[in-house]
Amino acid sequence: MANVNSSLCHSSSPSNATCVTRHFWLCLHWHLLRGSSGPDLEMTFLPRDASPDAGDAFWNSGVELSLILGFAAAYAFYYLVFIAKKPQLITGGSKLRHFLSERCPVVSETYFPTFWCWESRMQTLIRPLIAAIPKIHYRNELIKAADGGQISLDWCDSDGSPSYADASRRPTVLLLPGLTGSSQESYILRMVYICQELGYRSVVFNNRGVSGEKLLTPRTYCAANTEDLQDAIAHIKSIYPSAPLIAAGFSMGGMLLATYLGRVGRDTCLQGAAVFSVGWDVFESTASLERPLNHLLFNSYLVSCLKASLYRQKSVFENVIDVNHVMKARTIREFDERFTSVIFDYATNNDYYRDASPVHRLKSVQIPMLCLNAADDVFSPGHAIPVERVKQNPNLALLVTSHGGHIGFLEGLWPRQSTYMDRVFRQFTKALIEQGSCLQDL
């Protein structure tokens, strides 16, 4: 029997475990060089200051397996106790709470975030990278605005819907993307796909200048100005006056939708609404995004997108604003101070932020509206979620998960196909369209 003892194990620098590992690979390499026809190989591990049987005892004792199982058990305990929790459901009245509990079971189910990326920033960053993107074919329409500009709508008609063959009565869902988003955002495509599965028509409201259309006037969009949205809603209803119409907004799109509903009260043709990951207080959202890590991961990227969008249309603004000064903005706040608040004629940026904060208009919402927020969303800090204000309006329901990030809400081992937000959207949309008549006169 050939006995191989590595001199590496007698070195004063490596640890015993390192010696054992090196000795193993050295012996394996030697055995492979000898070939299978060579004499049998007996590997004797001799770590420093250890007997020849110490290595075998170490490996056979199952220390590594015990450590791995112990760590897994501790992590599972932490996850089940502190991470996976039922969401909080806050409503302003028992009627809407009962409606949700009966027809949207997802609101009372435990939310299990993806166990390997439950942290807020990871949820936010990973979702667009791994989400399965369905193929959607849009029909684009440009409508004229009162100021001479144009608004881009992307339609998915769901022709051939077995549930709603009559297009004039087919339910319509209006979708509003986030700050720099359009109809091509992965989360919007997912919602359009869900609408298709339910047999509903969907239409995406694109903010001016973000979907490739040319700006005809020196005006873009902001979270406080709802004129374009109001025009779009009126246009959609004029085409399909007999079809139920509801809306769903995401991030800034949700802010815009909530602000619109707070302004118009009952004077709207929308039968209900849902908003996701809304920044309820712009001052708090901006302050959170200016923290060092959040600025690095999110703020700087978003402001670069805003500046790129402006630069593509700079010829329209050169006689109105100092474009070069705007292009030097390093944060969203600086961009709003130099561009947004100026274009929309606010005396100060603080005036704009106050007007753009939907929290101040919640009491005036007069149709059923479900709001989904994650308590760990850096775009909408947990302490700024308007729990008490929601309790004062019977038309409102607020669903708050402990985790989920910003438009993240990943769940499952490999969350490519569906998220918790997708399930909330599906169940609430279906319930609102098919059984929402019981929510009249909340």
Side-chain angles (χ1 to χ4, degrees):
M1 301 288 288
N3 186 24
V4 179
N5 297 324
S6 172
S7 61
L8 290 173
C9 294
H10 299 286
S11 169
S12 60
S13 56
S15 65
N16 287 350
T18 304
C19 291
V20 170
T21 305
R22 289 180 178 175
H23 195 111
F24 171 79
W25 288 112
L26 180 63
C27 293
L28 180 61
H29 181 63
W30 180 83
H31 177 62
L32 291 174
L33 289 175
R34 288 288 304 270
S36 59
S37 60
D40 292 339
L41 176 66
E42 178 185 304
M43 293 182 290
T44 303
F45 300 113
L46 292 177
R48 183 181 59 192
D49 301 326
S51 65
D53 294 332
D56 289 336
F58 178 75
W59 291 103
N60 293 334
S61 66
V63 173
E64 286 85 357
L65 180 60
S66 298
L67 290 174
I68 292 172
L69 292 177
F71 175 80
Y75 187 84
F77 175 81
Y78 179 83
Y79 175 85
L80 293 173
V81 173
F82 297 103
I83 306 302
K85 295 182 179 180
K86 287 187 176 182
Q88 290 183 316
L89 177 61
I90 301 99
T91 60
S94 59
K95 192 172 182 178
L96 183 54
R97 173 180 286 273
H98 179 73
F99 176 85
L100 292 171
S101 299
E102 288 288 319
R103 296 167 175 81
C104 304
V106 67
V107 304
S108 56
E109 296 174 359
T110 299
Y111 168 48
F112 293 92
T114 299
F115 77 95
W116 51 268
C117 68
W118 48 263
E119 196 273 335
S120 169
R121 298 171 187 85
M122 290 183 65
Q123 285 256 336
T124 305
L125 293 169
I126 288 176
R127 183 203 53 77
L129 299 178
I130 67 174
I133 301 177
K135 293 183 179 180
I136 300 295
H137 299 286
Y138 288 118
R139 170 176 61 85
N140 181 256
E141 180 184 16
L142 295 175
I143 62 176
K144 289 292 183 180
D147 71 330
Q150 57 185 1
I151 305 166
S152 174
L153 301 177
D154 281 323
W155 295 81
C156 183
D157 296 299
S158 294
D159 290 330
S161 168
S163 304
Y164 300 95
D166 183 357
S168 66
R169 296 184 178 274
R170 186 177 302 146
T172 303
V173 181
L174 174 62
L175 302 171
L176 286 72
L179 178 62
T180 59
S182 70
S183 60
Q184 298 302 319
E185 297 300 317
S186 60
Y187 59 89
I188 292 294
L189 293 169
R190 286 292 309 169
M191 301 308 164
V192 173
Y193 180 74
I194 291 171
C195 290
Q196 276 188 318
E197 289 187 322
L198 294 173
Y200 305 156
R201 176 192 299 110
S202 56
V203 53
V204 183
F205 171 81
N206 296 294
N207 289 306
R208 294 196 196 190
V210 300
S211 60
E213 80 281 7
K214 183 180 179 181
L215 285 179
L216 303 181
T217 60
R219 172 176 162 178
T220 52
Y221 59 94
C222 75
N225 190 284
T226 59
E227 293 174 1
D228 285 357
L229 175 59
Q230 196 158 353
D231 289 346
I233 291 173
H235 174 74
I236 294 167
K237 197 62 179 178
S238 69
I239 300 176
Y240 301 106
S242 301
L245 177 60
I246 67 172
F250 305 83
S251 190
M252 197 206 78
M255 296 169 63
L256 191 66
L257 179 57
T259 298
Y260 160 77
L261 292 175
R263 282 178 175 158
V264 299
R266 291 192 179 277
D267 188 19
T268 179
C269 55
L270 294 179
Q271 296 181 6
V275 294
F276 302 89
S277 296
V278 165
W280 296 104
D281 188 321
V282 181
F283 293 100
E284 296 291 345
S285 297
T286 305
S288 176
L289 288 173
E290 288 176 349
R291 293 172 183 166
L293 183 57
N294 296 339
H295 173 77
L296 178 66
L297 294 176
F298 307 113
N299 203 327
S300 59
Y301 171 74
L302 288 173
V303 75
S304 67
C305 292
L306 290 169
K307 291 190 295 184
S309 180
L310 172 62
Y311 190 78
R312 287 193 297 269
Q313 312 268 9
K314 66 176 183 178
S315 60
V316 182
F317 295 97
E318 285 178 335
N319 295 327
V320 180
I321 203 166
D322 186 350
V323 176
N324 291 330
H325 182 57
V326 177
M327 295 301 295
K328 295 177 183 178
R330 295 171 297 175
T331 65
I332 295 174
R333 187 195 300 270
E334 289 184 357
F335 183 88
D336 288 336
E337 288 173 345
R338 302 174 186 187
F339 180 76
T340 312
S341 61
V342 177
I343 289 295
F344 287 92
D345 296 323
Y346 285 96
T348 67
N349 193 58
N350 284 347
D351 291 334
Y352 163 52
Y353 278 6
R354 192 174 298 107
D355 198 28
S357 298
V359 65
H360 304 303
R361 303 184 189 277
L362 285 177
K363 63 181 179 181
S364 302
V365 175
Q366 296 298 312
I367 64 170
M369 184 171 77
L370 175 64
C371 317
L372 175 64
N373 278 91
D376 65 351
D377 185 354
V378 299
F379 286 73
S380 183
H383 65 269
I385 296 177
V387 173
E388 295 304 318
R389 292 179 185 257
V390 168
K391 292 179 180 179
Q392 299 169 11
N393 187 336
N395 294 284
L396 302 178
L398 173 63
L399 192 63
V400 183
T401 59
S402 297
H403 298 276
H406 188 71
I407 319 182
F409 301 101
L410 301 178
E411 59 183 358
L413 181 62
W414 187 244
R416 280 180 51 79
Q417 299 300 327
S418 180
T419 68
Y420 182 80
M421 181 177 72
D422 294 351
R423 293 197 291 131
V424 171
F425 173 82
R426 178 190 291 272
Q427 292 184 17
F428 183 67
T429 298
K430 189 173 187 294
L432 201 57
I433 286 177
E434 299 181 8
Q435 298 168 308
S437 57
C438 64
L439 292 178
Q440 293 179 358
D441 301 321
L442 283 175

